[in-house]
Amino acid sequence: MNGYSEDLREKIVAAIGRGVSKSQAARTFGVSLSSVKRYVKKADHAEPLAPKKSPGSAPKLDETATKLLEADLKRRPFATLQQRRDYIHALTGLWVSRSTICRAIARVGSSRKKGDDPHPSATSSGELPGG
């Protein structure tokens, strides 16, 4: 979840400065009382009110690698995750897991559906039963 905007935090502090109670400011702006207290304390100590960076590590696949993966999905729609992993490593030098590739594909929004297979099954005749 992202923190509240710096603009909202400044409005809360300004309201407290005008004499609004902390609990009333919390209700008015739809934030918790502890958030209001924290913003006022930061303002009193001349600390910036901007939200801190969200926790978590940076993605292993950068923008360039993601674009290469997207192009590879279009060029080779039926390549395996291992083949895509090897492809990314060969072009970028990044070693990533198969699950990282899988998550990146999901973020791109690509999926392999049964109807997309241009190669019909060798055991299926393609005829309707009883035909």
Side-chain angles (χ1 to χ4, degrees):
M1 181 178 146
N2 294 330
Y4 294 116
S5 70
E6 187 172 3
D7 182 52
L8 176 63
R9 294 171 185 221
E10 290 170 356
K11 287 179 182 179
I12 292 169
V13 171
I16 300 296
R18 289 191 307 270
V20 176
S21 72
K22 291 177 183 174
S23 58
Q24 181 60 40
R27 283 192 298 274
T28 301
F29 293 102
V31 299
S32 68
L33 180 60
S34 61
S35 292
V36 172
K37 290 177 182 178
R38 187 170 50 252
Y39 303 152
V40 170
K41 184 177 178 181
K42 282 182 160 221
D44 288 345
H45 290 97
E47 295 177 23
L49 293 175
K52 294 179 181 172
K53 183 181 173 295
S54 298
S57 59
K60 292 193 178 6
L61 291 179
D62 59 4
E63 189 175 332
T64 304
T66 303
K67 286 182 181 179
L68 289 170
L69 182 61
E70 283 184 69
D72 189 46
L73 285 165
K74 290 176 183 163
R75 195 172 338 107
R76 302 183 310 156
F78 296 101
T80 65
L81 292 175
Q82 183 64 44
Q83 289 169 333
R84 295 199 195 287
R85 180 180 177 234
D86 294 341
Y87 173 77
I88 292 296
H89 174 68
L91 293 179
T92 65
L94 294 172
W95 281 111
V96 293
S97 67
R98 291 174 62 226
S99 54
T100 297
I101 295 291
C102 186
R103 285 190 299 271
I105 291 171
R107 272 193 302 275
V108 168
S110 177
S111 66
R112 282 178 31 179
K113 305 228 188 256
K114 283 185 174 181
D116 292 343
D117 190 356
H119 309 293
S121 172
T123 58
S124 173
S125 65
E127 295 178 8
L128 294 174

